[in-house]
Amino acid sequence: MAEELNAVIVSIEYRLVPKVYFPAQIHDVVHATKYFLQPEVLHKYSVDPDRIGISGDSAGGNLAAAVGQQFSQDANLKDKLKVQALIYPVLQALDFNTPSYQQNVNTPILPRYVMVKYWVDYFQGNYDFVQAMIVNNHTSLDVEEAVALRARLNWTSLLPASIKKDYRPVMQTTGDARIVREIPQLLDARAAPLIAEQEVLRHLPKTYILTCEYDVLRDDGIMYAKRLESAGVEVTLDHYEDGFHGCMIFTSWPTNFSVGIRTRNSYIKWLDQNL
């Protein structure tokens, strides 16, 4: 990226679980980004202050999206980012039965059970909740705190028919309200950027979102693209029918997969044209 874009690339080494838990990771990336945006720091690295973007893949895509939203609400930081580029981002923990979660429930690299456990790890929650969360008991109709937020990721309206296919929503009438009481972070937009208010979304910069067919997170990215478009944000949704979660890292022999090379090249091309 640095060579092909002739750009300064900053990789933030944010702290990880179990050393720290949410929202410490958010604080790390926000703090580091604010530091880098100081005029003297930009000057030191010969960075054009009008050509700064933020990006991340998977969990990093979650953090990049969260930073973009925080900056969009800060009068001193609004418009500091020209673009955001999110690669198969993690964006919500309210519905683990979107079509992509159902379709790819046991797909390698990131099966659903593992993704739910990652969320519990992130919040230092109780593993006893995992099975209940898998069937959406944490956002059932009797969990009042979650009902309004679920409307913001209603995939029956946000996803195209080609994605929805014959899948049906999993909405429990009664569930386990204790889960969100003990892990309220599940309903925090800093952890789940997809559930942010429309007013927050409309101030975000031009956005690139890459999604893969064989990925439980596919629909998170597609729904976010739809919500951003509805908020007036210019969005490029780059979907790969032969893609899988993490495929962009497979670009070197002996795992130089075609889809890895194509996703990487498309991502860099978009940045070159828009940054």
Side-chain angles (χ1 to χ4, degrees):
M1 287 176 66
E3 293 174 353
E4 294 190 32
L5 295 173
N6 188 28
V8 175
I9 307 298
V10 179
S11 180
I12 301 171
E13 193 173 349
Y14 58 88
R15 293 168 294 169
L16 304 174
V17 170
K19 184 177 181 180
V20 297
Y21 300 91
F22 173 86
Q25 291 85 349
I26 303 286
H27 296 328
D28 286 353
V29 294
V30 168
H31 181 76
T33 306
K34 285 181 177 180
Y35 173 83
F36 185 74
L37 287 173
Q38 295 178 104
E40 59 271 25
V41 177
L42 296 176
H43 177 74
K44 178 181 177 180
Y45 294 101
S46 301
V47 173
D48 183 344
D50 294 323
R51 299 181 64 211
I52 298 170
I54 190 164
S55 182
D57 71 298
S58 194
N62 172 284
L63 295 176
V67 170
Q69 291 186 5
Q70 287 206 28
F71 278 30
S72 75
Q73 299 173 76
D74 188 326
N76 295 319
L77 296 170
K78 191 180 295 185
D79 302 323
K80 292 291 186 180
L81 300 176
K82 186 177 182 182
V83 301
Q84 62 173 350
L86 313 177
I87 311 303
Y88 28 77
V90 187
L91 296 172
Q92 60 89 21
L94 280 73
D95 187 354
F96 293 116
N97 289 275
T98 62
S100 59
Y101 266 108
Q102 294 186 50
Q103 172 184 302
N104 299 298
V105 60
N106 293 314
T107 298
I109 294 193
L110 192 63
R112 178 172 62 180
Y113 178 76
V114 172
M115 188 64 242
V116 177
K117 285 186 67 177
Y118 283 162
W119 276 112
V120 174
D121 282 335
Y122 191 32
F123 301 138
Q124 200 176 8
N126 188 335
Y127 277 160
D128 291 344
F129 293 150
V130 170
Q131 290 299 332
M133 291 168 63
I134 283 175
V135 295
N136 289 347
N137 277 351
H138 61 308
T139 53
S140 53
L141 295 176
D142 60 336
V143 181
E144 294 182 9
E145 308 96 304
V147 172
L149 297 178
R150 277 290 294 263
R152 297 177 187 173
L153 49 95
N154 178 9
W155 59 260
T156 62
S157 61
L158 290 171
L159 296 178
S162 60
I163 293 292
K164 290 185 290 188
K165 299 179 181 176
D166 293 327
Y167 292 107
R168 294 289 180 265
V170 175
M171 180 75 75
Q172 307 293 354
T173 303
T174 58
D176 189 350
R178 183 172 54 114
I179 298 175
V180 294
R181 284 200 301 268
E182 294 192 21
I183 316 178
Q185 305 95 313
L186 286 162
L187 308 182
D188 191 324
R190 292 175 300 169
L194 181 56
I195 64 174
E197 296 179 3
Q198 197 79 346
E199 179 63 21
V200 173
L201 301 184
R202 74 183 190 89
H203 295 293
L204 288 169
K206 184 184 294 188
T207 299
Y208 173 90
I209 300 176
L210 187 147
T211 57
C212 293
E213 182 66 18
Y214 301 105
D215 182 4
V216 293
L217 303 176
R218 178 197 67 194
D219 297 344
D220 285 19
I222 295 174
M223 287 191 287
Y224 198 44
K226 182 67 173 179
R227 288 205 65 208
L228 289 174
E229 287 177 344
S230 298
V233 176
E234 184 177 341
V235 180
T236 296
L237 177 61
D238 197 8
H239 181 67
Y240 287 81
E241 291 289 345
D242 59 343
F244 56 91
H245 190 78
C247 65
M248 193 182 284
I249 67 172
F250 293 100
T251 58
S252 301
W253 188 89
T255 56
N256 51 331
F257 299 162
S258 168
V259 69
I261 294 168
R262 284 184 282 114
T263 52
R264 181 197 62 187
N265 290 347
S266 180
Y267 165 60
I268 291 176
K269 181 181 179 180
W270 186 88
L271 288 172
D272 187 44
Q273 294 174 342
N274 292 279
L275 189 57

